[in-house]
Amino acid sequence: MDHLALLSGDPATFLREVWGRRTLVHEADPETLASLFSLEAADDLITTRSLRTPQVRLAQDGKVLDQSRYTRHATIAGQAMTGLLDARKVLALFEGGATIVFQGLQRYHEPLRRLVRDLERQIGHPCQANAYLTPPGSQGFALHSDTHDVFTFQTHGTKEWEVHDAEGARPVHMRSGTCMYLPAGTPHMARTGADTASLHVTVGINQVVWSEVLRDVVNRAIEADADLREHLPAGLFADPDALATALRERLAHVAGLLGQVDADAEVDRLETTFGTRRQPVLAGALLDVLDVRHLAADTRLRRRPGSQATLRTRGETLELLLGDRRLTLPARVGPAVHSVLDAGVLTPADVQGLDEAGALTLCRRLVREGLLEVVR
């Protein structure tokens, strides 16, 4: 599934004309959005999954409620567990008007884990997913703005939003299937209808900005230069002109250091960081670990849904950035890896450029690393 297309309608137009510039409202298929996080899924998490704070928090009248009002303690094998949701208390507070906020859903709800990984792949910025379950006739949070861009989409009920953008304050009616994109800093607030509860998911896009990238480059350049760790003179402001002259000299020195920065290497470093620090997508990996020892030339395999793979050649080695890790292989297996990445469903016998033993070894490794899964 192309999740950016689902949420924006047209990914190319979104990235070219909307991203970071203006709000966007788009109608998607309600059933598809509900499959990502439904009312039944919210019920299951609250009543059967023993979630703990901060996975869930409650808010009412614009304020976050103290967790002691809806959590309990328990023990497992004599070890204390704190911050466990008390389902009865949560439901009572919800009935009394509190909004239930599910935080970091990409860490424990598989459909949203896949959505987040897919958006990260297409947008290139870290994302996270929260959901807001609000009872009828209630307002979750007062007028506020977020420091990051967001996609929000309605999966149950309706919600009346007030959005303050370039067009001024305007209402947006969110119903099941409605998606909205808000750039960072867009003030907004929302209220549910009087008759039904509202459930919507918000995907926060923690955008990487130039100031952060440049600050990191400058800091590392400065820290690597021993001369810039020299103390300033004693009697610091006794001769302000001399101090200003020394500062100008060091600014010129820093400019020279920055002129020597390898921009290609910095981009490579950014790509490596992004490509190895994402939330892994491993549903079914336990079964694969059990099956991989029996892998044969005719075993059917496929890319694990939501998996990420960035392929880079480094001289005699090949790097695969798999989202949460970096895998290094000999460069000679490049054609074989390309044939795996380009295939839909494949068998080890389909792998190009390797004999049967080599293809089996490569496929076993990629199954263990979570890039491939066994078709059952």
Side-chain angles (χ1 to χ4, degrees):
M1 180 189 300
D2 185 333
H3 290 95
L4 185 56
L6 175 68
L7 299 184
S8 70
D10 182 348
T13 300
F14 172 79
L15 294 174
R16 184 178 62 253
E17 300 178 5
V18 179
W19 167 255
R21 295 179 176 86
R22 61 179 176 85
T23 59
L24 173 72
V25 179
H26 165 67
E27 295 296 332
D29 177 56
E31 292 185 4
T32 302
L33 290 185
S35 72
L36 298 173
F37 193 64
S38 64
L39 195 61
E40 290 75 17
D43 179 275
D44 178 64
L45 290 178
I46 294 168
T47 60
T48 71
R49 299 298 176 181
S50 296
L51 296 185
R52 302 171 68 178
T53 57
Q55 291 173 305
V56 173
R57 59 175 174 153
L58 271 68
Q60 190 166 9
D61 299 327
K63 298 179 181 178
V64 176
L65 302 182
D66 190 286
Q67 68 179 51
S68 64
R69 297 181 58 183
Y70 54 88
T71 59
R72 60 185 177 85
H73 305 286
T75 59
I76 294 181
Q79 298 293 313
M81 295 182 65
T82 60
L84 283 166
L85 285 193
D86 186 316
R88 290 189 182 278
K89 292 179 180 178
V90 170
L91 295 175
L93 288 168
F94 174 74
E95 190 174 15
T99 291
I100 302 172
V101 183
F102 300 88
Q103 302 191 123
L105 276 163
Q106 78 282 356
R107 296 188 176 276
Y108 55 96
H109 185 66
E110 187 63 19
L112 290 177
R113 190 196 314 271
R114 293 181 181 180
L115 176 144
V116 162
R117 281 293 296 272
D118 193 36
L119 288 180
E120 289 180 335
R121 177 184 61 81
Q122 295 186 77
I123 296 176
H125 295 252
C127 300
Q128 63 183 36
N130 294 348
Y132 299 79
L133 177 58
T134 308
S138 297
Q139 178 175 314
F141 293 93
L143 184 68
H144 67 286
S145 60
D146 298 311
T147 58
H148 51 266
D149 294 18
V150 299
F151 275 112
T152 184
F153 56 90
Q154 194 79 17
T155 67
H156 178 84
T158 62
K159 204 154 198 177
E160 302 301 328
W161 286 62
E162 181 181 302
V163 176
H164 297 242
D165 58 14
E167 301 178 20
R170 62 189 181 99
V172 177
H173 176 69
M174 299 282 287
R175 60 184 181 181
S176 295
T178 305
C179 307
M180 180 165 57
Y181 166 77
L182 298 175
T186 305
H188 58 275
M189 60 186 294
R191 176 178 292 275
T192 58
D195 299 324
T196 62
S198 163
L199 179 62
H200 76 272
V201 175
T202 293
V203 179
I205 305 169
N206 300 311
Q207 67 269 33
V208 181
V209 297
W210 278 114
S211 62
E212 295 174 355
V213 174
L214 293 172
R215 186 181 301 115
D216 187 44
V217 171
V218 171
N219 285 342
R220 284 186 294 108
I222 290 174
E223 290 167 2
D225 191 288
D227 291 341
L228 295 177
R229 291 194 291 271
E230 176 187 355
H231 285 141
L232 272 70
L236 191 57
F237 302 110
D239 188 345
D241 292 337
L243 184 61
T245 297
L247 177 58
R248 281 190 288 270
E249 292 173 352
R250 283 159 178 79
L251 288 173
H253 179 62
V254 170
L257 293 176
L258 295 179
Q260 300 171 24
V261 170
D262 186 336
D264 292 331
E266 290 298 325
V267 170
D268 184 273
R269 184 187 61 80
L270 284 171
E271 183 181 45
T272 300
T273 299
F274 182 79
T276 57
R277 296 185 182 180
R278 310 271 59 80
Q279 179 76 11
V281 177
L282 293 174
L286 173 61
L287 301 179
D288 290 333
V289 167
L290 295 173
D291 287 346
V292 72
R293 69 187 70 183
H294 307 298
L295 209 66
D298 61 351
T299 302
R300 298 172 72 234
L301 306 169
R302 66 186 171 206
R303 282 281 297 271
R304 185 180 301 282
S307 63
Q308 176 179 320
T310 300
L311 187 63
R312 307 190 302 190
T313 302
R314 294 288 184 267
E316 296 301 314
T317 63
L318 193 70
E319 285 186 353
L320 263 176
L321 307 183
L322 298 177
D324 65 326
R325 63 182 60 199
R326 174 169 48 187
L327 176 62
T328 302
L329 299 167
R332 61 181 174 80
V333 304
V337 174
H338 277 290
S339 71
V340 170
L341 296 179
D342 293 340
V345 175
L346 75 154
T347 68
D350 298 323
V351 175
Q352 299 175 11
L354 295 175
D355 59 21
E356 181 176 318
L360 282 170
T361 298
L362 176 64
C363 288
R364 288 191 183 106
R365 180 69 184 277
L366 296 181
V367 169
R368 289 190 174 102
E369 297 291 347
L371 179 64
L372 297 180
E373 66 179 6
V374 178
V375 179
R376 297 178 181 85

